[in-house]
Structures are given as C-alpha cells and as structure tokens.
Amino acid sequence: MSDQGLHASVALMRDRGLGPEAIRVFEHYYEQLQAGALGTIPEESIEPLGEVQTLREVQVSDEEAREALSRTAVIKLNGGLGTGMGMTGAKSALEVKDGLTFLDIIALQVLALRERWGVELPLVLMNSFRTSEESLKILAKYPDLPVDGLPLDFIQNAEPKLRPDDLMPVKWPDDPELEWCPPGHGDIYVSLVTSGVLDSLLEKGIRYAFLSNSDNLGATCDPDVAAWMVEHGLPYVAEVCKRTKSDRKGGHLAVRKSDGRIVLRDTAMVAEGEERYFRDIKRHNTFNANNVWINLEVLRERMTAKQGVLGLPIIVNHKNVDPADPSSPEVIQMESAMGTAIEVFEGSEAILVPRTRFRPVKTTNDLLVIRSDFFSLDEGYHVVATVDAPEPYVDLDSAYRFVSGFEQRFPKGVPSMRDCTSLRVIGDPVFGRNVRCVGDVLIDGYRRVLDDAVLGELPTPTPAPVTTPGDVRTVDEHLKAILSTLEPSPTEWTPLTEALGLVVARDVRAKVNLPHFDNSSMDGYAVRAESLASAGTSPVRLRIVGEVAAGAHPTFTVGVGEAARIMTGAPIPEGADAVIAVEDTDAAATGEVECRVAVSPGRFIRPQGEDVSSGEVIVSAGEVVGARTIALLAACGHAEVEVHRRPHVVVLSTGAELVEPGKPLQLGQIHDSNSSMLWAAAVGAGASAEIRAAVGDSDEELLAVLDEVVAEADVVITSGGVSMGAYDVVKSALRNEGIDFVKVAMQPGKPQGYGLLTGPGGKQVPLFALPGNPVSSFVSFEVFVRPALRRLMRLAPEKRRLRPATLISGVESFGGRRQFGRAVVSRSAEGTLVAVPVAGQGSHFVADLSRANALFVVPEDVTELVAGEVVDVLVLDKES
C-alpha cells in the first residue's frame, strides 16, 4: 500500500492548523495501521496486576500535602456529549445534585480545596469544539476560578477519518466536519503540548496534574495521593478499585510478561475469543478508575525526546463517516486511551483507592442514586453517603433510559433512597412527591406512584400455607431474578422493511427537506398572484406557457400574464408564486386559460421543508418503529435505521413421546404442540424464532443439541423435563450447567428453570426451561419469557398491563400460589370488562386455552372469588 493516504491526511491536518506533534502522532498510528495492527493484548502476554499500594495506608503530613497540592493542577476530560443518556450537549452540563451540574460541583470542589489548603490549584478542561462554549458559560459563574496565565480550557486535536480500502482520508461534502474525528482521550498528552497549556503550567511552577473524567464525581484532587507521588518520585500513578461483577466490562491493569511494565487492557483491546479472561474478576481483581496522576516535567521530557509521540497502544475503530447514516461510507478512526500511558513511563505505579473515588454517572440508574438523599455534598463538595450502608442497586425500565424520559417520570424529584437496598422498576410509572423506598423494592405496574408513598415497607398479607413442600419463590422474585441478568440487545442498522416493532437506538435526522421542493397541492395553474389581482371583478385570461406533471422538472419560467398547467405534487416552475384551482378556471389545456378568482401569494403551494426541515430530528431514540414511522423515515431519505436488535429465539421441546405435527401417532405418542405455540408466542412478542426437532430423554442428546444452538440463539426456550420424574431430561442435563431449577408459587407453572448458557466467545445465552403441560408452558411464557424478550428489545412496558374485570362466575384458587386462570373477556353494555372463566382450567386443556383471550390473576392470599367480584386480567389478544 502506498503512502498517498498518509501524505493526503497530513496535508489536511496542516491546513486545519494542527501542530507538528499531533501530525507526528497521527503518522505513528497510520504506519501501525498500515502494518495491520489490531491493538489487542492477548491474555497469554500478561500477568495479573497483583498487590499494590493502598491509599488508606498512605500517611503524609499536612505540610507535605499542602506542598504537593501547591504544585498540582486539575485537568478534566470534558469532551463527552452524553449520547448514551440521550443528550446532545455537553454531558457535564447535566444537573446531578442539588440543582448543580457536574461542572458546578467540580468548580466548587476546586475552590474548596484552594480555601482549605491555601493553594492556587488550577482547573483546566480538555473540551471538544462541541462542549467548549456551553462549559465555559457554566464556569463563568465562578469569577475566582481562573488562574492568571492559564486558560480554563483547551480543545483536543482532530484527525481525518480514513477509508478502509486504501487508507485515504474520506471525503463527505454533505458535512465536511464529519470527515474529522477526535483521536480518543489518549490525545490529552499531545493536546497539552500543542495547545501550549503544558508549557504554561510548567512556567507557573505546576509540576503534577490530576487527570479524570468530568462525569466521575468521586474523582477529586486528593492531596494524599499527590504527596505520595511526590515522596516516591513517581512519574505516573493510576488509581484502581476492587473489581465486582458489575465491573466486568471495565478495563483493568496487568503486567506485561515481556518487560514487566504495567499495561492497561480496555474492552476494545481484548483478543477475539478471550472475553472470559477479561471478565474474570478473580484473576483480574481490580479495575482502572481512569483517574491518573502524572509528572508534567517527565511528560515534557518524554514528549520532547519522542517529538510528541508517546507511543500509546493503538485502538482501531470501524464506523460510518456519518454515524446517523449507515449507507454512508465505512471509515477507520484511530484512537488511544489516556490510561494506556502507564506503560510508557518507567517506574509507573498503581494505587488502590476506595470505591468512593469512582462515582461516574453513566446511566440514569446512577443519576437517580446520586440525586437521592442517599448521597449529600459535604463542605468540600465531595459526594458522600448519608448512611452507613452499601449503595442501593437501581435498575430502571427502558422508559427511563434517556434523561428526557427520566425527568418526565420524576417530575417531583427522585424518591428517598436512604433505607433502600435495591429498586427495580418494571413498566412505566410516574413517581409523585415524597416517595420513600425501603429495603428491596420491586415496582411492577404502570400507574402513577402515589404522593407520600412508602414502597417496600407496607405490610404484606399472610398467605395461606403453600401445599407443596420445599422452598418456593414468588412470581415477582423469579421474574426479578431473570430480568437482573439481562441487558438490552446490541444495536444494529436494519432495513426499514425489517425494523417494524423495534426500538430506535438513536435520534434520526432528516436527510432532505419534506417536501423536497415547492409543489402544488391542487390540480390547476401555476401563476403570479399579481396577474390575477383584478380577477375578483371580472375574469382574467392568462397565456399558457407550459405544463408540469408530478415528477417533471420544469425548464420554463412563468411571467406576469402567464400560467402553467400543473398537477398535484408537481414542482412550482420558476416565477410562479401561487396556484389557482382548476375549478376556478375554464380548464383550458392550450392557448389561454380564463381565471375567475384572485389568489394570494403562496395559495395552494406546499413550500419546501414545510413538513420537515433537513437535519431536523424526525424520530427520537426510544420510539418504536411502526408503519407511520417507516413512512416518515423513507420520505426523509432513510433506507435503514439503527435499532435494538431483534433477539433470535430457538424453541426446543423434550420428550421421547413427542411427534411432529402432521405425522401419524403410535400408542403413547402425542403431537408436539408446545414448540409451535412457543414459536408463535415469541414471534408475537417481537422476536424472530425457529423450532428445532424435539429431543428425546437422553442427557447427552440434549447437551449436544444445545452446544449447536447457543452459537446462533439469543434466547433458548425448552418445554418439558423440569419436574421430579425419572425422565425429566432438562433438569437432569442442565442442573450442573448454570441453570437454576426452582419452584414458583404459581398455578399453573410451578416448576421453572432459568440460567445463562455460555456460547462461543463467552456469549451469554438465556435459557428458559418451561413445564411441559401446554397451559403451564403458555402461562410461563407470558409471565416470564415475554417480559424478558421485551427487555432485550428495550420495549416498554415490559409486561402486559393488568386491567380490572368483573367475574361472571366464581373461581377457587390454591392458597399461597398466584393463579393464572383462562377466561373470555368482553365489554359490557356499560363499557366495563367482564370475564367468563373457561370450563377447563387444567394445565392440559389445550382447547379451552385456545378459546380464552385473557388470563385472570388471583393473588396468593385469596382462595375464592365469587361472581360479581373484580379481578385483574391480562388481555392476550391485543398489545398493551
């Protein structure tokens, strides 16, 4: 491959005014890319980090702390736009606590440290061109914040996006700015140099810098770390925290075998097929907090010696030149990570810090906890817990994912979380004022949460004794256990014809104006309005100069005294500014047309962009694609849309007695109805699905089939083989494969199994082991599988809405179990719902199941309902 692409890219960077260091770094990575670099770190090349210094063991005097802090600056990475939370501006401008934004809190933290220690402590932001103006406007509220001789921000560098075939810089005339990308936050070291900020800091006597993300409110400038770094003469220090299951996706530090250097391995640097090693929290038991301390003199020496090229590991990203347009050309973006610099500086160290120094707000789950009374701001504006308890776990439904949806559902503020251990919200409720969460809270509903409500502490009715032996889970507990393991499906660009019913992953903007051109809304004649000024008193005759049909491109001009015959939807010819309807004329086709009414300018003209302007958001992230959505997307120039992927379900029935429908039965055999039923239910829930041939009663046969299935399935559903029988193969084969088999207090469907199978590359595939009786299997799907599929697709609400209906006849129920009975629901003359239980309530009555259009729900503490009582129903035959 020639160097033509490199020369062209460098020329563009020079024209943009980028400094020589930035260009040399680009050349360095370009040569690596040209040589086929992938930027991965194989597991065999590293050892675990091992024991490191802990912050709690560091002991420094106040004078040592003050001296270190007097030579330190705070630098915040502030280029993020918060797109993962549905934001378009600077993420740091989001209000996170007590009406304060990230930047407000950061500024107040710095000012408090200055006052406490009597030091100057500069604050500098590394902004992108999209965040600079908004961020500096917020900081302008603090007139004492700027330090003489230092700017409050500098702008990170940019580099050309490259075509993957020849590594030439891409051209995108529609929006030339999209031809450029930031080089990742590893660019901070080069940008410090090219902006002149590094030299300015050194001239001010600043020798150390604390670098961290602006959305990490725990990342304060700790003088103890600064003093420890000074005491030991360290060039570079990375903060790490103890790793938990929730941190399995976070990057970690390790030791490179070849030279003993500490290295950072991020998610993008994991070799294919080694994800399980990356997620092993016992082997790699700390994670990188992305809080970095660096000696600026050493940085300057290294940058000078290397002519600006630190040699950070390359990260190769493949994207589209226009991220909102999947049909735009694919490009390569070369990036680097700030934390990877640890391997560049000899003598670098890690320090184990408390979890309190890692409080990023990456999701609205994090935002709820930070805003709640579980945390407060102390006199130094540190975020501190108000109670001595673990931080509550929060899992909000998909309706709360974006900040706009979050704010709409907490209009009176977030609930009290001081006494809460976990909050799980299923559905789409709106919270009122003064709501308090206590203990483990599961909100499973779609109505407004009442004002002054206490959730999780309300007395629970004592259920009637459960008639089956052993420990039994409630329905809510089992559903919670399932949903807690699931994350939304990845996003993908999907043709409009395949996107129906899926959730849009990011805002979509119009590519064109709608209408694309000025056009006529009537059959008639395009004219100049002034030509017909006198037509109100007597007819006016205009010379016909042409005709315009829909789809035509008129090449003539309409002047005063002239008209052009025009059809609905046809473009307005040049010169015309109105249309007169054909019924207000003599409808002449040639020669002259007689016009009988005056028209005003703009009459019967649909102006360009009247419906939609080019660049306008036409579909917001979180919307479900419907027929009308598809029409709008297509009209605005989109053939594809980025959505959360439709999960693929594989349905697998078990039992030697099962025979494929349509084939003859032998004695003791039955047709496999469950597979077809579950396939249809999965497709009806929005997934794609396939049926695999029924598996017999052999452990080996089932495991062999599952080994094949997990490679292509996103979800596996089995039916049968989960009870206590001698031939219950599913339970026998999978009890040691990570699948939990439990009893659930419900009727029908008490025996249930659920767990995650591991597929190729560490892929986690949920498996639902449902009972074999058809009604039990169907009810289990409705109660457990359907909400899980909708969660994967980010569809809200995840569960069908409960509706009140009046029972026409009484029913009995088992004490201690939630009964899901079958019923036919219809509307009474008054418009209310009435429910008629079907005759056959046994779990094998397929005919009665087919006649039912709803499930009625009898609570665990109720054993009998009489005719006329109101019961909750789940209506099955329409989406809720």
Side-chain angles (χ1 to χ4, degrees), residues 322 324-328 509-513 614-616 618 636-639:
D322 182 351
D325 181 6
S327 63
S328 64
R509 298 181 182 273
K511 291 183 173 184
V512 297
N513 291 310
S614 178
E616 177 184 345
I618 52 172
C636 291
H638 293 275

Side-chain angles (χ1 to χ4, degrees), residues 6 76 103 305 382 390 416 423 531 611 642 644 673 689 777 824 873:
L6 178 58
K76 291 287 182 176
L103 286 175
H382 300 91
S416 169
L423 169 63
S531 300
D611 189 6
E642 187 178 6
H644 289 280
S673 62
S777 194
V824 177
V873 297

Side-chain angles (χ1 to χ4, degrees), residues 557-599:
T557 300
V558 175
V560 177
E562 297 177 335
R565 196 178 183 201
I566 194 166
M567 312 307 164
T568 301
I572 302 298
E574 185 178 350
D577 62 3
V579 171
I580 182 172
V582 66
E583 53 264 35
D584 293 325
T585 71
D586 64 1
T590 59
E592 291 184 338
V593 58
E594 181 180 281
C595 303
R596 296 188 287 269
V597 298
V599 294

